[in-house]
Amino acid sequence: LKPHNYSGLWDLLGNAMVMTQFIRLTPDVQSKQGAVWNRVPCYLRDWEMQVHFKIHGQGKKNLNGDGFAIWYTKDRMQPGPVFGSKDNFLGLGVFVDTYPNEEKQQERVFPYISAMVNNGSLTYDHDRDGRPTELGGCTAMVRNLNHDTFLVIRYVKRRLTVLIDIDGKHEWRDCIDVPGVRLPRGYYFGTSSVTGDLSDNHDIISLKLYQLTVERTPEEEKRDREVFLPVVDNLSTKVPKALIKHEGWSLFLLFSCSILPGAGSGGSGLC
Ligand SMILES: [Ca+2]
C-alpha cells in the first residue's frame, strides 16, 4: 500500500485520508476513526505483513490515544469499538495501544503491542487494554520518534510472531511468539485507528504483504490442514475459560503487495 496506488485494491473508511507520502488513519483530533482495507481476500498459507507506521501528536506522555490495529479478518470495512473496527471479529488483530485504560496495573508501560485471535465469540475488553484475551505482547515506545518505525506480523506453519524495529537501528526485536495459531484463508488485511478524548496522528506509510514459502513434512501438512474458524491451540492456558463463550523454517519472498505512495507497481494485484 502506497498512497498513489492504493485506489484499486484498498478502500478507505471514516476519517482516513490519503496524503502524499502516507495514509493518515486519524488526525491528531478528538473522536476520529479511520481505516483502510484491502479488497482482495488473502489465500496465502504462510505470509508476512510489514507495516511502516508513524504515531505522533501534541499530547504529552500518556495523554494521547488510542493507537491503531492491524487486521487479518473476515470482517472488513465495519466500524466499531476495537481501534475503530468491529468487535467479536473473526480472525487476527494486532494492536498498537498507546493509551493505558486500565489504571490499577501500573507495571505495564505503554505504548503496548498485543495480539488477539477471535472466533467471533470474544469481546475485546477496552477498559483493560485487552488483557483478558491477549496472546502476548510487549512495550514499544513508538510515539513522536524522528526515525522510522516498523512492525512485522509473520505467520508461518501456524506460528504467529510479531517483531518490531522501532529503535532506528534496523534490527528486528521479538515482541510476540505464539505457536498453534490456526487462521482460515480468504480473510482480509486492513488497519484501523481511533481517537477519543485523547488523540494522535496515526499514519501508515506502507503495508507490504509477502508470501513465504516453507517446506512441510507430511505430518505438518496434516497438522496444518485448512480450518474454517480461527483457533489457538491450548488456548485455555492463555485465556481464562470464563471469557470463552462457546522449528525451523526457510522462507523466500515471492512477491510483495505494496500499498503506499511512491511504491511503484510492485505486484500489487496479488493481494
Ligand atoms: Ca488502551
Side-chain angles (χ1 to χ4, degrees):
L1 166 76
K2 295 254 179 188
H4 79 254
N5 66 356
Y6 90 95
S7 57
L9 290 163
W10 298 81
D11 289 319
L12 293 185
L13 188 66
N15 303 112
M17 292 176 291
V18 179
M19 316 295 273
T20 310
Q21 294 296 325
F22 53 87
I23 288 177
R24 176 154 287 167
L25 297 176
T26 75
D28 188 6
V29 175
Q30 292 181 329
S31 302
K32 300 292 183 184
Q33 68 179 40
V36 57
W37 285 94
N38 200 291
R39 291 179 184 169
V40 183
C42 177
Y43 286 97
L44 303 178
R45 191 146 75 143
D46 304 281
W47 49 262
E48 176 174 304
M49 173 61 86
Q50 294 187 6
V51 184
H52 183 185
F53 65 96
K54 186 174 180 68
I55 305 176
H56 56 114
Q58 299 297 315
K60 297 289 185 276
K61 180 174 163 52
N62 284 350
L63 288 175
N64 59 279
D66 285 327
F68 75 104
I70 304 118
W71 300 101
Y72 173 71
T73 67
K74 190 174 184 179
D75 321 278
R76 69 186 293 280
M77 299 296 283
Q78 297 190 50
V82 187
F83 295 91
S85 194
K86 184 182 182 297
D87 203 350
N88 299 102
F89 54 90
L90 281 163
L92 166 71
V94 174
F95 312 125
V96 180
D97 187 349
T98 56
Y99 180 73
N101 294 82
E102 165 126 22
E103 294 169 0
K104 284 180 267 177
Q105 300 185 29
Q106 298 296 329
E107 83 283 1
R108 180 172 288 187
V109 177
F110 279 70
Y112 194 85
I113 297 175
S114 65
M116 174 177 176
V117 168
N118 200 344
N119 62 7
S121 72
L122 297 175
T123 298
Y124 176 83
D125 189 341
H126 185 260
D127 293 338
R128 299 201 59 209
D129 302 304
R131 280 174 176 79
T133 52
E134 73 184 15
L135 297 175
C138 70
T139 291
M141 308 308 286
V142 292
R143 286 191 71 240
N144 290 340
L145 298 175
N146 290 322
H147 54 259
D148 292 331
T149 46
F150 302 89
L151 178 157
V152 160
I153 303 168
R154 191 176 285 160
Y155 182 62
V156 176
K157 288 188 177 183
R158 305 300 193 206
R159 188 175 205 98
L160 174 71
T161 52
V162 175
L163 303 119
I164 53 177
D165 171 3
I166 60 168
D167 300 323
K169 296 175 181 171
H170 304 292
E171 289 174 359
W172 292 111
R173 180 148 59 87
D174 292 339
C175 177
I176 298 168
D177 184 358
V178 188
V181 176
R182 298 166 184 268
L183 298 172
R185 293 195 281 177
Y187 283 8
Y188 299 93
F189 285 102
T191 177
S192 68
S193 178
V194 68
T195 65
D197 292 339
L198 301 169
S199 62
D200 255 336
N201 297 300
H202 297 96
D203 299 340
I204 300 295
I205 298 157
S206 70
L207 295 174
K208 294 178 181 176
L209 179 67
Y210 296 89
Q211 179 176 6
L212 305 180
T213 302
V214 298
E215 291 182 7
R216 282 179 168 79
T217 64
E219 291 75 23
E220 287 172 334
E221 286 290 350
K222 191 177 175 187
R223 182 198 66 187
D224 293 354
R225 66 187 182 276
E226 193 133 9
V227 294
F228 298 97
L229 278 177
V231 178
V232 180
D233 297 345
N234 305 314
L235 187 65
S236 57
T237 63
K238 301 277 186 183
V239 179
K241 280 181 180 167
L243 287 159
I244 305 173
K245 294 164 192 166
H246 340 230
E247 300 58 331
W249 44 273
S250 61
L251 63 86
F252 305 92
L253 303 183
L254 291 189
F255 66 86
S256 76
C257 309
S258 153
I259 33 170
L260 282 186
S265 53
S268 47
L270 286 167
C271 11

